[in-house]
Amino acid sequence: MNRSTKIVAALSAVVLVAVGGYLATQSNSSTKEKFTVAMVTDAPGNISDHSFGQAAWTGLQAWGKDHDLKKGVNGYDYFISKTQADFTPNFDQAVASKFSLIGAIGYNLQEAVEKAAKQYPKTKFALVDSVADAKYKNIQSLMFNSEQSSYLTGVAAATKAKALGDTKVGFLGGMKGPVVGRFEYGFREGVASVDKKIKVEAVYAGSYADPAKGQLIANTMIAEGIHIINHVSGGTGNGAFTAVKQHDETLASGSKAKVWMIGVDIDQAPQGAYTTKDDKKDNFTLTSSLTNVGRGLELSANAAMQDKFQGGKVTYYGLKEGGVSVPTDNLNGPEKAAVEKAKKGIETGAIKLNYKNQYAN
């Protein structure tokens, strides 16, 4: 190889290295880290509770699928809190796993998530069903207009009760507070919109995880002649479903003594499936007040991905936003028509709901 050839070769090598380095730099600068999301449950929590935890996890799974992500630290995941003592360790673990957004599923986590937000200011958090202090600019509070969906369940319950000639409907609450109070307010307003003479008998179990207490309360209501029971009580409501199922299984198909349940958070129609005394398949879940927690998480995560995270702010999700809803599959013609009319009224503003913590205490 002569001298000129060596010079050309050397220059070519320099150019290749420079171009290669430039391309590598460009590739690295254009590659963004994956946006990942985790959720921390309330206590005692799980993701198959037929309630809040399940609703949140279902939505988070849908978000992961939409973004071609898998369960795990590089996609989406959950942290179960068996007791409130698990809240802080779960947030610590989620932050250590470098999740981009961490959801706190339930108002009981407010203190723990605010503590985590202060300790980890670069991590984004979404608090469900409670309003964090606005000074925490890395927490978005996600609230749901549950009074809207529970208004619709009240309309359905009262329409059914009126047709049966009943003067009472039941409301089973978990623990008194602003969240369940919002449901009770909407339910009462919906019932009254159909017939002010129909009374709402509200009983609180004092727990979201006491199925035995829920069963006892439901059996007492049934003994009093109540045919529609609306529960907003988490796992406690599972006991109410057991009581109603045991009662309805003793009746023939079409019996006017049949008792109906109204579910909460997710569509609880699967829990209402049973077989009548004359061996016919039936269902006693009239409808459910759906709180689409997962939808809220999805919207929050998508906004954060686009650098539009609403930190330090409160976002409300209602019927219009798909944050709350009610299924109508088990409603008869008049019930469905009444619910659809009420839904339209809420969406247009013709029906105005103004919850002011009337039933929080």
Side-chain angles (χ1 to χ4, degrees), residues 145-160:
N145 295 118
S146 302
E147 73 277 12
Q148 296 180 358
S149 56
S150 60
Y151 183 96
L152 301 184
T153 65
V155 168
T159 304
K160 172 75 75 179

Side-chain angles (χ1 to χ4, degrees), residues 49-51 172-174 205 207-215 217-218 229-244 261-264 268 271 284:
D49 55 2
H50 304 293
S51 190
L172 167 59
S207 172
Y208 292 108
D210 192 346
K213 187 74 173 289
Q215 187 171 355
I217 292 172
I229 302 172
N230 179 12
H231 98 92
V232 185
S233 58
T236 297
N238 293 336
F241 270 88
T242 297
V244 173
M261 283 291 297
I262 294 176
V264 70
Q268 293 193 277
Q271 281 184 268
F284 61 78

Side-chain angles (χ1 to χ4, degrees), residues 307-330:
D307 295 325
K308 296 179 181 179
F309 181 68
Q310 299 294 301
K313 297 182 180 180
V314 185
T315 306
Y316 281 86
Y317 301 107
L319 289 171
K320 283 185 177 181
E321 297 79 18
V324 298
S325 60
V326 297
T328 59
D329 294 346
N330 288 349

Side-chain angles (χ1 to χ4, degrees), residues 18-32:
V19 171
Y22 173 77
L23 291 175
T25 301
Q26 290 299 100
S27 176
N28 289 336
S29 64
S30 64
T31 300
K32 294 183 179 180

